Amino acid sequence: MAETYLIRIHSLQCYLPDEGTDEVYLMYKGQKVWPSGEKYKHMKEDSSLPVKIEISTTRGATVSVELWEYDTLSSDDNLGKFLLEADRLGGPFTTDMIKADKGKSKYGLTWEVTS
């Protein structure tokens, strides 16, 4: 039987927003997982926000968490994804976003793996 690991996401860092201020949220497996109770959070350059997400997975799995930007007048934009590898216990780790488009945004997630 595969060993179960828990990925704990601690924070989201904005190194460079796509616009002056981005209105962002996180998705996992097609469901919004952060922020809870709000549509989005505002992120500016060189800012960081706490994130409290726990994702249960199996040892060796790669978890994909997507960063989206809320848009009022058009469909929301997928800014990119973070690939979090549950290959060993430890952390905290910081993973940079893999861009989904040609935008200028740069984001990072801080996370850890526990049993």
Side-chain angles (χ1 to χ4, degrees):
M1 188 165 137
E3 191 175 352
T4 301
Y5 277 4
L6 190 63
I7 293 179
R8 290 189 168 134
I9 302 174
H10 298 296
S11 63
L12 174 66
Q13 296 83 36
C14 175
Y15 306 121
L16 185 65
D18 199 46
E19 301 169 353
T21 299
D22 286 344
E23 294 81 31
V24 297
Y25 59 94
L26 294 172
M27 301 273 291
Y28 173 64
K29 290 187 174 181
Q31 299 291 318
K32 182 174 154 265
V33 293
W34 179 86
S36 60
E38 300 175 69
K39 287 186 180 181
Y40 54 81
K41 289 281 193 180
H42 294 281
M43 299 283 304
K44 294 182 179 183
E45 186 172 348
D46 295 325
S47 65
S48 179
L49 288 174
V51 176
K52 300 284 187 241
I53 299 173
E54 294 185 347
I55 298 171
S56 182
T57 190
T58 56
R59 181 180 181 191
T62 299
V63 170
S64 178
V65 177
E66 297 176 340
L67 180 68
W68 286 76
E69 182 179 29
Y70 179 83
D71 279 322
T72 306
L73 301 175
S74 62
S75 60
D76 293 358
D77 298 322
N78 181 349
L79 296 179
K81 65 184 175 183
F82 303 94
L83 298 179
L84 313 178
E85 297 181 9
D87 53 357
R88 66 183 176 97
L89 297 174
F93 306 110
T94 300
T95 299
D96 289 340
M97 179 182 71
I98 300 167
K99 291 184 187 183
D101 59 18
K102 301 281 190 240
K104 65 179 184 174
S105 61
K106 290 182 180 16
Y107 283 85
L109 273 185
T110 301
W111 55 286
E112 68 178 328
V113 180
T114 61
S115 57

